[in-house]
Structure formats: C-alpha cells, structure tokens
mmCIF file of all heavy atoms in Angstrom:
data_model
loop_
_atom_site.group_PDB
_atom_site.id
_atom_site.type_symbol
_atom_site.label_atom_id
_atom_site.label_comp_id
_atom_site.label_asym_id
_atom_site.label_seq_id
_atom_site.Cartn_x
_atom_site.Cartn_y
_atom_site.Cartn_z
ATOM 1 N N VAL A 1 187.088 92.981 101.511
ATOM 2 C CA VAL A 1 186.784 92.467 102.790
ATOM 3 C C VAL A 1 185.321 92.070 102.880
ATOM 4 O O VAL A 1 184.947 90.986 103.392
ATOM 5 C CB VAL A 1 187.095 93.482 103.953
ATOM 6 C CG1 VAL A 1 186.524 93.082 105.273
ATOM 7 C CG2 VAL A 1 188.642 93.685 104.091
ATOM 8 N N PHE A 2 184.425 92.957 102.349
ATOM 9 C CA PHE A 2 182.988 92.724 102.453
ATOM 10 C C PHE A 2 182.406 92.074 101.166
ATOM 11 O O PHE A 2 181.179 92.021 101.010
ATOM 12 C CB PHE A 2 182.274 94.019 102.776
ATOM 13 C CG PHE A 2 182.514 94.489 104.194
ATOM 14 C CD1 PHE A 2 183.500 95.485 104.423
ATOM 15 C CD2 PHE A 2 181.903 93.944 105.278
ATOM 16 C CE1 PHE A 2 183.763 95.947 105.675
ATOM 17 C CE2 PHE A 2 182.185 94.368 106.580
ATOM 18 C CZ PHE A 2 183.133 95.398 106.795
ATOM 19 N N VAL A 3 183.245 91.738 100.208
ATOM 20 C CA VAL A 3 182.843 91.091 98.951
ATOM 21 C C VAL A 3 181.835 91.977 98.262
ATOM 22 O O VAL A 3 180.753 91.451 97.834
ATOM 23 C CB VAL A 3 182.298 89.649 99.219
ATOM 24 C CG1 VAL A 3 182.319 88.837 97.867
ATOM 25 C CG2 VAL A 3 183.056 88.891 100.259
ATOM 26 N N TYR A 4 182.084 93.222 98.180
ATOM 27 C CA TYR A 4 181.183 94.165 97.599
ATOM 28 C C TYR A 4 181.420 94.239 96.064
ATOM 29 O O TYR A 4 182.563 94.346 95.569
ATOM 30 C CB TYR A 4 181.427 95.576 98.197
ATOM 31 C CG TYR A 4 180.541 96.614 97.674
ATOM 32 C CD1 TYR A 4 179.154 96.743 98.155
ATOM 33 C CD2 TYR A 4 180.939 97.575 96.812
ATOM 34 C CE1 TYR A 4 178.306 97.679 97.668
ATOM 35 C CE2 TYR A 4 180.097 98.608 96.381
ATOM 36 C CZ TYR A 4 178.745 98.597 96.779
ATOM 37 O OH TYR A 4 177.911 99.582 96.349
ATOM 38 N N PRO A 5 180.414 94.185 95.278
ATOM 39 C CA PRO A 5 180.561 94.089 93.811
ATOM 40 C C PRO A 5 180.901 95.522 93.145
ATOM 41 O O PRO A 5 180.133 96.057 92.331
ATOM 42 C CB PRO A 5 179.217 93.597 93.298
ATOM 43 C CG PRO A 5 178.204 94.154 94.299
ATOM 44 C CD PRO A 5 178.946 94.095 95.666
ATOM 45 N N GLY A 6 182.055 96.028 93.581
ATOM 46 C CA GLY A 6 182.509 97.358 92.997
ATOM 47 C C GLY A 6 183.707 97.174 92.149
ATOM 48 O O GLY A 6 184.181 96.082 91.847
ATOM 49 N N MET A 7 184.326 98.324 91.821
ATOM 50 C CA MET A 7 185.505 98.340 90.930
ATOM 51 C C MET A 7 186.721 97.664 91.584
ATOM 52 O O MET A 7 187.514 97.069 90.950
ATOM 53 C CB MET A 7 185.818 99.727 90.516
ATOM 54 C CG MET A 7 185.003 100.190 89.259
ATOM 55 S SD MET A 7 185.663 101.810 88.674
ATOM 56 C CE MET A 7 187.311 101.414 88.227
ATOM 57 N N GLY A 8 186.810 97.955 92.934
ATOM 58 C CA GLY A 8 187.946 97.335 93.679
ATOM 59 C C GLY A 8 187.957 95.872 93.629
ATOM 60 O O GLY A 8 189.034 95.245 93.400
ATOM 61 N N GLN A 9 186.863 95.268 93.863
ATOM 62 C CA GLN A 9 186.709 93.806 93.852
ATOM 63 C C GLN A 9 187.053 93.280 92.479
ATOM 64 O O GLN A 9 187.726 92.269 92.277
ATOM 65 C CB GLN A 9 185.321 93.376 94.279
ATOM 66 C CG GLN A 9 185.103 91.881 94.293
ATOM 67 C CD GLN A 9 185.893 91.218 95.439
ATOM 68 O OE1 GLN A 9 185.826 91.654 96.503
ATOM 69 N NE2 GLN A 9 186.562 90.098 95.041
ATOM 70 N N TYR A 10 186.489 94.025 91.460
ATOM 71 C CA TYR A 10 186.757 93.594 90.025
ATOM 72 C C TYR A 10 188.232 93.724 89.727
ATOM 73 O O TYR A 10 188.826 92.799 89.048
ATOM 74 C CB TYR A 10 185.955 94.504 89.118
ATOM 75 C CG TYR A 10 185.992 94.144 87.672
ATOM 76 C CD1 TYR A 10 185.360 93.045 87.177
ATOM 77 C CD2 TYR A 10 186.671 94.983 86.746
ATOM 78 C CE1 TYR A 10 185.284 92.720 85.813
ATOM 79 C CE2 TYR A 10 186.647 94.632 85.407
ATOM 80 C CZ TYR A 10 186.053 93.564 84.990
ATOM 81 O OH TYR A 10 186.009 93.226 83.621
ATOM 82 N N LEU A 11 188.890 94.737 90.208
ATOM 83 C CA LEU A 11 190.356 94.917 89.962
ATOM 84 C C LEU A 11 191.151 93.802 90.601
ATOM 85 O O LEU A 11 192.011 93.240 89.945
ATOM 86 C CB LEU A 11 190.730 96.335 90.479
ATOM 87 C CG LEU A 11 192.335 96.571 90.518
ATOM 88 C CD1 LEU A 11 192.856 96.573 89.121
ATOM 89 C CD2 LEU A 11 192.575 97.933 91.179
ATOM 90 N N VAL A 12 190.926 93.486 91.852
ATOM 91 C CA VAL A 12 191.677 92.480 92.547
ATOM 92 C C VAL A 12 191.533 91.105 91.857
ATOM 93 O O VAL A 12 192.459 90.328 91.709
ATOM 94 C CB VAL A 12 191.310 92.450 94.028
ATOM 95 C CG1 VAL A 12 191.870 91.240 94.714
ATOM 96 C CG2 VAL A 12 191.690 93.742 94.709
ATOM 97 N N ASP A 13 190.273 90.806 91.434
ATOM 98 C CA ASP A 13 190.017 89.536 90.783
ATOM 99 C C ASP A 13 190.843 89.441 89.541
ATOM 100 O O ASP A 13 191.317 88.287 89.217
ATOM 101 C CB ASP A 13 188.507 89.425 90.432
ATOM 102 C CG ASP A 13 187.640 89.237 91.625
ATOM 103 O OD1 ASP A 13 188.187 88.857 92.705
ATOM 104 O OD2 ASP A 13 186.412 89.427 91.529
ATOM 105 N N HIS A 14 191.058 90.438 88.784
ATOM 106 C CA HIS A 14 191.736 90.341 87.506
ATOM 107 C C HIS A 14 193.266 90.615 87.652
ATOM 108 O O HIS A 14 194.004 90.179 86.767
ATOM 109 C CB HIS A 14 191.162 91.336 86.482
ATOM 110 C CG HIS A 14 189.822 90.910 86.025
ATOM 111 N ND1 HIS A 14 188.678 91.050 86.698
ATOM 112 C CD2 HIS A 14 189.429 90.284 84.851
ATOM 113 C CE1 HIS A 14 187.632 90.558 85.963
ATOM 114 N NE2 HIS A 14 188.119 90.080 84.844
ATOM 115 N N VAL A 15 193.689 91.183 88.789
ATOM 116 C CA VAL A 15 195.152 91.240 88.992
ATOM 117 C C VAL A 15 195.670 89.819 89.192
ATOM 118 O O VAL A 15 196.766 89.511 88.651
ATOM 119 C CB VAL A 15 195.392 92.087 90.246
ATOM 120 C CG1 VAL A 15 196.836 91.884 90.741
ATOM 121 C CG2 VAL A 15 195.233 93.590 89.947
ATOM 122 N N SER A 16 194.991 88.984 89.901
ATOM 123 C CA SER A 16 195.442 87.599 90.140
ATOM 124 C C SER A 16 195.467 86.825 88.822
ATOM 125 O O SER A 16 196.243 85.847 88.740
ATOM 126 C CB SER A 16 194.500 86.929 91.160
ATOM 127 O OG SER A 16 193.159 86.839 90.665
ATOM 128 N N LYS A 17 194.702 87.243 87.881
ATOM 129 C CA LYS A 17 194.633 86.540 86.543
ATOM 130 C C LYS A 17 195.638 87.156 85.570
ATOM 131 O O LYS A 17 195.716 86.657 84.383
ATOM 132 C CB LYS A 17 193.271 86.551 85.950
ATOM 133 C CG LYS A 17 192.138 85.924 86.878
ATOM 134 C CD LYS A 17 190.769 86.098 86.264
ATOM 135 C CE LYS A 17 189.747 85.567 87.258
ATOM 136 N NZ LYS A 17 188.355 85.828 86.674
ATOM 137 N N ARG A 18 196.253 88.209 85.968
ATOM 138 C CA ARG A 18 197.179 89.058 85.080
ATOM 139 C C ARG A 18 196.397 89.498 83.845
ATOM 140 O O ARG A 18 196.903 89.445 82.776
ATOM 141 C CB ARG A 18 198.443 88.267 84.740
ATOM 142 C CG ARG A 18 199.598 89.177 84.350
ATOM 143 C CD ARG A 18 200.842 88.407 83.910
ATOM 144 N NE ARG A 18 201.895 89.346 83.616
ATOM 145 C CZ ARG A 18 202.014 89.990 82.438
ATOM 146 N NH1 ARG A 18 201.146 89.865 81.531
ATOM 147 N NH2 ARG A 18 203.055 90.834 82.211
ATOM 148 N N ASP A 19 195.259 89.961 84.041
ATOM 149 C CA ASP A 19 194.479 90.558 82.945
ATOM 150 C C ASP A 19 194.838 92.013 82.765
ATOM 151 O O ASP A 19 194.135 92.885 83.396
ATOM 152 C CB ASP A 19 192.935 90.359 83.231
ATOM 153 C CG ASP A 19 192.072 90.427 81.937
ATOM 154 O OD1 ASP A 19 192.485 91.137 81.059
ATOM 155 O OD2 ASP A 19 191.095 89.714 81.896
ATOM 156 N N VAL A 20 195.828 92.319 82.005
ATOM 157 C CA VAL A 20 196.373 93.618 81.975
ATOM 158 C C VAL A 20 195.435 94.653 81.499
ATOM 159 O O VAL A 20 195.385 95.769 82.092
ATOM 160 C CB VAL A 20 197.688 93.602 81.051
ATOM 161 C CG1 VAL A 20 198.184 94.987 80.841
ATOM 162 C CG2 VAL A 20 198.762 92.746 81.644
ATOM 163 N N PRO A 21 194.612 94.502 80.467
ATOM 164 C CA PRO A 21 193.701 95.587 80.107
ATOM 165 C C PRO A 21 192.746 95.979 81.197
ATOM 166 O O PRO A 21 192.403 97.160 81.355
ATOM 167 C CB PRO A 21 192.921 94.973 78.905
ATOM 168 C CG PRO A 21 193.847 93.947 78.302
ATOM 169 C CD PRO A 21 194.571 93.368 79.508
ATOM 170 N N VAL A 22 192.302 95.039 81.968
ATOM 171 C CA VAL A 22 191.336 95.346 83.067
ATOM 172 C C VAL A 22 192.115 96.215 84.155
ATOM 173 O O VAL A 22 191.573 97.205 84.625
ATOM 174 C CB VAL A 22 190.758 94.067 83.716
ATOM 175 C CG1 VAL A 22 189.963 94.438 84.982
ATOM 176 C CG2 VAL A 22 189.929 93.363 82.666
ATOM 177 N N VAL A 23 193.352 95.764 84.448
ATOM 178 C CA VAL A 23 194.105 96.537 85.434
ATOM 179 C C VAL A 23 194.407 97.966 84.969
ATOM 180 O O VAL A 23 194.270 98.913 85.763
ATOM 181 C CB VAL A 23 195.465 95.742 85.745
ATOM 182 C CG1 VAL A 23 196.266 96.573 86.712
ATOM 183 C CG2 VAL A 23 195.184 94.397 86.306
ATOM 184 N N GLN A 24 194.709 98.064 83.711
ATOM 185 C CA GLN A 24 194.978 99.371 83.124
ATOM 186 C C GLN A 24 193.686 100.242 83.147
ATOM 187 O O GLN A 24 193.781 101.413 83.496
ATOM 188 C CB GLN A 24 195.459 99.198 81.651
ATOM 189 C CG GLN A 24 196.838 98.686 81.556
ATOM 190 C CD GLN A 24 197.236 98.338 80.149
ATOM 191 O OE1 GLN A 24 196.300 98.196 79.238
ATOM 192 N NE2 GLN A 24 198.517 98.218 79.879
ATOM 193 N N ALA A 25 192.614 99.634 82.789
ATOM 194 C CA ALA A 25 191.320 100.467 82.739
ATOM 195 C C ALA A 25 190.911 100.859 84.186
ATOM 196 O O ALA A 25 190.601 102.067 84.399
ATOM 197 C CB ALA A 25 190.230 99.585 82.196
ATOM 198 N N CYS A 26 190.996 100.010 85.158
ATOM 199 C CA CYS A 26 190.666 100.391 86.519
ATOM 200 C C CYS A 26 191.583 101.426 87.050
ATOM 201 O O CYS A 26 191.186 102.385 87.713
ATOM 202 C CB CYS A 26 190.619 99.132 87.399
ATOM 203 S SG CYS A 26 189.374 97.953 87.095
ATOM 204 N N GLY A 27 192.913 101.266 86.823
ATOM 205 C CA GLY A 27 193.897 102.263 87.286
ATOM 206 C C GLY A 27 193.662 103.577 86.655
ATOM 207 O O GLY A 27 193.710 104.663 87.363
ATOM 208 N N LEU A 28 193.294 103.701 85.370
ATOM 209 C CA LEU A 28 193.029 104.969 84.700
ATOM 210 C C LEU A 28 191.801 105.649 85.260
ATOM 211 O O LEU A 28 191.791 106.850 85.486
ATOM 212 C CB LEU A 28 192.947 104.722 83.189
ATOM 213 C CG LEU A 28 192.826 106.022 82.344
ATOM 214 C CD1 LEU A 28 194.096 106.840 82.471
ATOM 215 C CD2 LEU A 28 192.561 105.649 80.877
ATOM 216 N N ILE A 29 190.769 104.834 85.525
ATOM 217 C CA ILE A 29 189.493 105.448 86.053
ATOM 218 C C ILE A 29 189.739 105.956 87.514
ATOM 219 O O ILE A 29 189.264 107.078 87.825
ATOM 220 C CB ILE A 29 188.362 104.343 86.018
ATOM 221 C CG1 ILE A 29 187.986 104.105 84.559
ATOM 222 C CG2 ILE A 29 187.160 104.873 86.776
ATOM 223 C CD1 ILE A 29 187.039 102.935 84.406
ATOM 224 N N PHE A 30 190.406 105.191 88.303
ATOM 225 C CA PHE A 30 190.678 105.637 89.617
ATOM 226 C C PHE A 30 191.513 106.906 89.643
ATOM 227 O O PHE A 30 191.220 107.852 90.412
ATOM 228 C CB PHE A 30 191.468 104.512 90.404
ATOM 229 C CG PHE A 30 190.576 103.451 90.989
ATOM 230 C CD1 PHE A 30 190.905 102.154 90.989
ATOM 231 C CD2 PHE A 30 189.289 103.787 91.561
ATOM 232 C CE1 PHE A 30 190.114 101.123 91.464
ATOM 233 C CE2 PHE A 30 188.473 102.802 92.043
ATOM 234 C CZ PHE A 30 188.894 101.450 92.019
ATOM 235 N N ALA A 31 192.545 106.983 88.726
ATOM 236 C CA ALA A 31 193.358 108.171 88.637
ATOM 237 C C ALA A 31 192.593 109.378 88.200
ATOM 238 O O ALA A 31 192.644 110.471 88.714
ATOM 239 C CB ALA A 31 194.539 107.952 87.683
ATOM 240 N N ALA A 32 191.689 109.137 87.216
ATOM 241 C CA ALA A 32 190.881 110.263 86.716
ATOM 242 C C ALA A 32 189.909 110.788 87.791
ATOM 243 O O ALA A 32 189.739 112.020 87.899
ATOM 244 C CB ALA A 32 190.035 109.812 85.435
ATOM 245 N N VAL A 33 189.323 109.910 88.558
ATOM 246 C CA VAL A 33 188.395 110.379 89.631
ATOM 247 C C VAL A 33 189.224 111.140 90.754
ATOM 248 O O VAL A 33 188.776 112.213 91.130
ATOM 249 C CB VAL A 33 187.718 109.152 90.296
ATOM 250 C CG1 VAL A 33 186.956 109.544 91.544
ATOM 251 C CG2 VAL A 33 186.753 108.492 89.323
ATOM 252 N N TYR A 34 190.390 110.614 91.074
ATOM 253 C CA TYR A 34 191.137 111.275 92.156
ATOM 254 C C TYR A 34 191.635 112.609 91.680
ATOM 255 O O TYR A 34 191.477 113.650 92.435
ATOM 256 C CB TYR A 34 192.344 110.375 92.455
ATOM 257 C CG TYR A 34 193.101 110.811 93.749
ATOM 258 C CD1 TYR A 34 192.664 110.422 94.942
ATOM 259 C CD2 TYR A 34 194.133 111.683 93.663
ATOM 260 C CE1 TYR A 34 193.298 110.775 96.145
ATOM 261 C CE2 TYR A 34 194.830 112.063 94.815
ATOM 262 C CZ TYR A 34 194.427 111.618 96.027
ATOM 263 O OH TYR A 34 195.037 112.062 97.187
#
C-alpha cells in the first residue's frame, strides 16, 4: 500500500513474475521469524 522497500514488496513483485526461488526464500524467512 505504501510502496515500502521491504520484504513484502519484494515478494509481491516476484510472485507476479513467477520467480519461484524468491517466493520460496521469502516464505521460509517469514516462517522462521514467526
């Protein structure tokens, strides 16, 4: 929403491009933090 340069924005940008390694990496980091 606020075009903030964080992991969420990076994840959404690469989901639209079907960049699987980026999606996997972001998902794993989010899961590890949670």
